Amino acid sequence: MELILWRHADAEPGEPDAARALTAKGKRQARKMGEWLDRHLPGTCRILSSPAVRCIQTAHALGREFIIEPALGIDSELETMIAASGWPGGRGPVLLVGHQPLLGQAAALLMTGQKQDWRVRKAGFIWLAQKPGPAAQIYIRAVLGADLLR
């Protein structure tokens, strides 16, 4: 299984938190990263987004169909988010569009077995993969920040 943890792009300040929209910069970040991901993700990739406006807008930039998943929301629990992805036994790749600190914590937990506060930059992603077999190993396939895309 492959799990791609994509943080939403730069968003406007304000309340309520779930209604915050992307800034002009965030729209550019999401578009650039969405284009990169679209070129590299398999067509079978399942895409889940937090119901927060900024995540939905980020997911739209990918240009593929996606499902709004409440388990990825702002106040979600780490274990609930990971379970929604189907990790580790799911079939095919899954892309989660969500929030910090959950995405960084998920990457840390899956890689090290411990909950740590790893940081995922806005519009950046961490792509994890698991080799099948009795001694299933998890490895980092890719990490990319929007600031590296021109």
Side-chain angles (χ1 to χ4, degrees), residues 77-95:
E77 298 292 325
L78 178 58
E79 294 76 13
T80 305
M81 183 185 78
I82 293 171
S85 75
W87 185 273
R91 296 193 181 265
V94 177
L95 170 69

mmCIF file of all heavy atoms in Angstrom, residues 77-95:
data_model
loop_
_atom_site.group_PDB
_atom_site.id
_atom_site.type_symbol
_atom_site.label_atom_id
_atom_site.label_comp_id
_atom_site.label_asym_id
_atom_site.label_seq_id
_atom_site.Cartn_x
_atom_site.Cartn_y
_atom_site.Cartn_z
ATOM 1 N N GLU A 77 -8.888 12.576 15.247
ATOM 2 C CA GLU A 77 -7.854 11.862 15.988
ATOM 3 C C GLU A 77 -6.927 11.161 14.994
ATOM 4 O O GLU A 77 -7.364 10.713 13.924
ATOM 5 C CB GLU A 77 -8.500 10.826 16.912
ATOM 6 C CG GLU A 77 -9.402 11.411 17.974
ATOM 7 C CD GLU A 77 -8.628 12.219 19.013
ATOM 8 O OE1 GLU A 77 -7.481 11.831 19.331
ATOM 9 O OE2 GLU A 77 -9.179 13.233 19.485
ATOM 10 N N LEU A 78 -5.684 11.032 15.368
ATOM 11 C CA LEU A 78 -4.679 10.428 14.510
ATOM 12 C C LEU A 78 -5.073 9.011 14.076
ATOM 13 O O LEU A 78 -5.039 8.682 12.883
ATOM 14 C CB LEU A 78 -3.328 10.401 15.238
ATOM 15 C CG LEU A 78 -2.160 9.760 14.510
ATOM 16 C CD1 LEU A 78 -1.893 10.455 13.178
ATOM 17 C CD2 LEU A 78 -0.924 9.807 15.392
ATOM 18 N N GLU A 79 -5.479 8.193 15.012
ATOM 19 C CA GLU A 79 -5.827 6.808 14.700
ATOM 20 C C GLU A 79 -7.035 6.727 13.776
ATOM 21 O O GLU A 79 -7.103 5.858 12.901
ATOM 22 C CB GLU A 79 -6.085 6.023 15.992
ATOM 23 C CG GLU A 79 -4.854 5.851 16.862
ATOM 24 C CD GLU A 79 -4.431 7.110 17.653
ATOM 25 O OE1 GLU A 79 -5.221 8.078 17.738
ATOM 26 O OE2 GLU A 79 -3.306 7.122 18.170
ATOM 27 N N THR A 80 -7.986 7.645 13.933
ATOM 28 C CA THR A 80 -9.174 7.682 13.077
ATOM 29 C C THR A 80 -8.794 8.045 11.647
ATOM 30 O O THR A 80 -9.301 7.461 10.686
ATOM 31 C CB THR A 80 -10.194 8.705 13.632
ATOM 32 O OG1 THR A 80 -10.481 8.371 14.991
ATOM 33 C CG2 THR A 80 -11.468 8.723 12.821
ATOM 34 N N MET A 81 -7.879 9.004 11.507
ATOM 35 C CA MET A 81 -7.430 9.414 10.181
ATOM 36 C C MET A 81 -6.709 8.264 9.482
ATOM 37 O O MET A 81 -6.973 7.969 8.312
ATOM 38 C CB MET A 81 -6.505 10.626 10.284
ATOM 39 C CG MET A 81 -6.058 11.142 8.926
ATOM 40 S SD MET A 81 -4.873 12.480 9.028
ATOM 41 C CE MET A 81 -3.380 11.561 9.391
ATOM 42 N N ILE A 82 -5.814 7.605 10.186
ATOM 43 C CA ILE A 82 -5.075 6.493 9.583
ATOM 44 C C ILE A 82 -6.035 5.360 9.197
ATOM 45 O O ILE A 82 -5.926 4.790 8.111
ATOM 46 C CB ILE A 82 -3.961 6.003 10.530
ATOM 47 C CG1 ILE A 82 -2.881 7.088 10.676
ATOM 48 C CG2 ILE A 82 -3.353 4.696 10.026
ATOM 49 C CD1 ILE A 82 -1.841 6.807 11.741
ATOM 50 N N ALA A 83 -6.994 5.067 10.065
ATOM 51 C CA ALA A 83 -7.975 4.018 9.764
ATOM 52 C C ALA A 83 -8.791 4.357 8.519
ATOM 53 O O ALA A 83 -9.092 3.469 7.706
ATOM 54 C CB ALA A 83 -8.899 3.803 10.961
ATOM 55 N N ALA A 84 -9.128 5.617 8.323
ATOM 56 C CA ALA A 84 -9.908 6.026 7.146
ATOM 57 C C ALA A 84 -9.143 5.763 5.850
ATOM 58 O O ALA A 84 -9.743 5.522 4.803
ATOM 59 C CB ALA A 84 -10.284 7.502 7.249
ATOM 60 N N SER A 85 -7.830 5.784 5.931
ATOM 61 C CA SER A 85 -7.018 5.538 4.735
ATOM 62 C C SER A 85 -6.984 4.063 4.354
ATOM 63 O O SER A 85 -6.653 3.733 3.218
ATOM 64 C CB SER A 85 -5.576 6.021 4.972
ATOM 65 O OG SER A 85 -4.875 5.126 5.817
ATOM 66 N N GLY A 86 -7.289 3.194 5.315
ATOM 67 C CA GLY A 86 -7.198 1.764 5.068
ATOM 68 C C GLY A 86 -5.825 1.193 5.361
ATOM 69 O O GLY A 86 -5.571 0.015 5.112
ATOM 70 N N TRP A 87 -4.916 2.024 5.848
ATOM 71 C CA TRP A 87 -3.557 1.581 6.171
ATOM 72 C C TRP A 87 -3.579 0.554 7.285
ATOM 73 O O TRP A 87 -4.353 0.729 8.214
ATOM 74 C CB TRP A 87 -2.718 2.793 6.590
ATOM 75 C CG TRP A 87 -1.279 2.453 6.835
ATOM 76 C CD1 TRP A 87 -0.753 2.007 8.005
ATOM 77 C CD2 TRP A 87 -0.214 2.515 5.907
ATOM 78 N NE1 TRP A 87 0.585 1.787 7.848
ATOM 79 C CE2 TRP A 87 0.946 2.094 6.574
ATOM 80 C CE3 TRP A 87 -0.128 2.873 4.561
ATOM 81 C CZ2 TRP A 87 2.187 2.034 5.954
ATOM 82 C CZ3 TRP A 87 1.105 2.823 3.950
ATOM 83 C CH2 TRP A 87 2.246 2.403 4.641
ATOM 84 N N PRO A 88 -2.838 -0.486 7.209
ATOM 85 C CA PRO A 88 -1.841 -0.831 6.202
ATOM 86 C C PRO A 88 -2.333 -1.833 5.164
ATOM 87 O O PRO A 88 -1.636 -2.120 4.208
ATOM 88 C CB PRO A 88 -0.723 -1.473 7.031
ATOM 89 C CG PRO A 88 -1.458 -2.206 8.111
ATOM 90 C CD PRO A 88 -2.674 -1.348 8.402
ATOM 91 N N GLY A 89 -3.551 -2.348 5.325
ATOM 92 C CA GLY A 89 -3.993 -3.452 4.474
ATOM 93 C C GLY A 89 -4.772 -3.060 3.241
ATOM 94 O O GLY A 89 -5.220 -3.933 2.506
ATOM 95 N N GLY A 90 -4.936 -1.772 3.006
ATOM 96 C CA GLY A 90 -5.717 -1.346 1.849
ATOM 97 C C GLY A 90 -5.061 -1.707 0.534
ATOM 98 O O GLY A 90 -3.876 -2.017 0.470
ATOM 99 N N ARG A 91 -5.848 -1.665 -0.496
ATOM 100 C CA ARG A 91 -5.337 -1.957 -1.830
ATOM 101 C C ARG A 91 -5.124 -0.646 -2.578
ATOM 102 O O ARG A 91 -5.958 0.233 -2.556
ATOM 103 C CB ARG A 91 -6.310 -2.830 -2.597
ATOM 104 C CG ARG A 91 -6.488 -4.188 -1.972
ATOM 105 C CD ARG A 91 -7.219 -5.108 -2.940
ATOM 106 N NE ARG A 91 -7.410 -6.405 -2.338
ATOM 107 C CZ ARG A 91 -6.589 -7.420 -2.531
ATOM 108 N NH1 ARG A 91 -5.541 -7.281 -3.292
ATOM 109 N NH2 ARG A 91 -6.825 -8.580 -1.962
ATOM 110 N N GLY A 92 -4.004 -0.551 -3.224
ATOM 111 C CA GLY A 92 -3.710 0.614 -4.040
ATOM 112 C C GLY A 92 -3.328 1.828 -3.213
ATOM 113 O O GLY A 92 -3.428 1.833 -1.991
ATOM 114 N N PRO A 93 -2.908 2.872 -3.903
ATOM 115 C CA PRO A 93 -2.484 4.089 -3.228
ATOM 116 C C PRO A 93 -3.674 4.919 -2.745
ATOM 117 O O PRO A 93 -4.746 4.907 -3.349
ATOM 118 C CB PRO A 93 -1.697 4.842 -4.303
ATOM 119 C CG PRO A 93 -2.243 4.333 -5.594
ATOM 120 C CD PRO A 93 -2.696 2.929 -5.344
ATOM 121 N N VAL A 94 -3.446 5.637 -1.644
ATOM 122 C CA VAL A 94 -4.453 6.537 -1.077
ATOM 123 C C VAL A 94 -3.781 7.877 -0.804
ATOM 124 O O VAL A 94 -2.700 7.919 -0.205
ATOM 125 C CB VAL A 94 -5.049 5.976 0.229
ATOM 126 C CG1 VAL A 94 -6.038 6.956 0.841
ATOM 127 C CG2 VAL A 94 -5.712 4.639 -0.016
ATOM 128 N N LEU A 95 -4.413 8.947 -1.238
ATOM 129 C CA LEU A 95 -3.949 10.310 -0.989
ATOM 130 C C LEU A 95 -4.892 10.954 0.010
ATOM 131 O O LEU A 95 -6.107 10.984 -0.206
ATOM 132 C CB LEU A 95 -3.934 11.116 -2.286
ATOM 133 C CG LEU A 95 -3.706 12.619 -2.176
ATOM 134 C CD1 LEU A 95 -2.285 12.923 -1.723
ATOM 135 C CD2 LEU A 95 -3.987 13.298 -3.498
#
